[in-house]
Amino acid sequence: MRSGEVKRRTNETDIAVSLVLDGTGKAEISSGVGFFDHMLNLFARHSLIDLKVAVTGDTHIDDHHSVEDTGIALGEALRQALGDKKGIRRYADIHLPMDETLTRVAIDVSGRPFLVFRTRFEAQKIGSFDTELVREFFQAFAMNAGITLHVETLYGDNAHHIAESCFKGLARALRHALEVDPREGGRVPSTKGAL
């Protein structure tokens, strides 16, 4: 079973993340940040990754540390679950529509972390959630998962829809990139023989 579990404790957060890549999208999420819980729930559902996230953070200051550190822990758990990456499809991309919004997400599960994030929010907040934290999560996740990740919102107006299209796009692209390709025959999808 491709699974990962990470516990991460700092002076700012105490986080436990566990996931199963070949799941059904079950989620148990408690981050202390309502909108972020919503994003992680839909991430699990659309990626079909079974996901448990429990966060205690210094949200009396703001949500930054809880969101960023969850991205770190989730990325580490994904990397752990992938192991040597034998047999995966590796690449995937999707155009994800959310009402008036369209976001493109492209992934290479390469072992070489990089993020290109071309998404802008006109609003600074979605409820009490700082929209700049969407990028912070994606940055932390990509760096710690070891993936190359490109996210670009081609157009959109509603901040909630923009954020949701980014998280759903990531989920759907990961779902395809992490699938085992029977034609690979258990090989690492690289001419180098390792990722």
Side-chain angles (χ1 to χ4, degrees):
M1 178 168 43
R2 299 187 301 167
S3 61
E5 185 173 352
V6 170
K7 293 185 179 180
R8 185 175 194 276
R9 186 173 191 158
T10 70
N11 291 334
E12 299 165 340
T13 59
D14 187 358
I15 298 175
V17 170
S18 63
L19 57 78
V20 177
L21 296 184
D22 304 303
T24 60
K26 291 184 296 186
E28 294 177 31
I29 311 295
S30 177
S31 73
V33 180
F35 181 76
F36 189 46
D37 285 358
H38 176 45
M39 294 298 103
L40 293 178
N41 271 293
L42 63 84
F43 169 83
R45 176 64 185 89
H46 288 278
S47 66
L48 296 182
I49 293 172
D50 289 345
L51 180 61
K52 291 182 182 178
V53 175
V55 181
T56 303
D58 56 359
T59 53
H60 61 284
I61 296 172
D62 70 6
D63 300 336
H64 187 111
H65 299 137
S66 293
V67 172
E68 181 179 30
D69 289 5
T70 299
I72 292 169
L74 184 57
E76 289 174 351
L78 182 78
R79 183 188 287 234
Q80 185 185 111
L82 278 170
D84 59 14
K85 304 179 187 75
K86 284 185 177 175
I88 64 169
R89 294 188 187 279
R90 178 179 170 179
Y91 296 100
D93 64 88
I94 189 167
H95 284 81
L96 199 295
M98 178 73 190
D99 296 348
E100 86 297 341
T101 299
L102 183 65
T103 296
R104 174 175 52 217
V105 177
I107 292 176
D108 177 9
V109 184
S110 62
R112 294 186 310 277
F114 200 88
L115 175 68
V116 174
F117 192 82
R118 294 183 179 164
T119 294
R120 295 177 190 252
F121 293 92
E122 295 299 321
Q124 292 183 343
K125 298 253 188 202
I126 302 169
S128 63
F129 182 84
D130 293 322
T131 53
E132 67 183 9
L133 295 181
V134 175
R135 186 189 193 287
E136 293 301 319
F137 171 81
F138 276 75
Q139 176 76 19
F141 177 74
M143 294 303 109
N144 289 277
I147 63 174
T148 299
L149 176 58
H150 292 246
V151 180
E152 182 175 19
T153 300
L154 304 177
Y155 45 82
D157 298 311
N158 182 286
H160 189 130
H161 295 165
I162 292 169
E164 191 162 329
S165 70
C166 292
F167 277 86
K168 283 181 176 175
L170 172 63
R172 286 286 172 158
L174 272 176
R175 179 173 163 179
H176 185 72
L178 303 182
E179 282 179 343
V180 174
D181 183 349
R183 293 181 64 201
E184 278 293 352
R187 297 175 300 176
V188 174
S190 172
T191 55
K192 293 188 285 289
L195 288 172

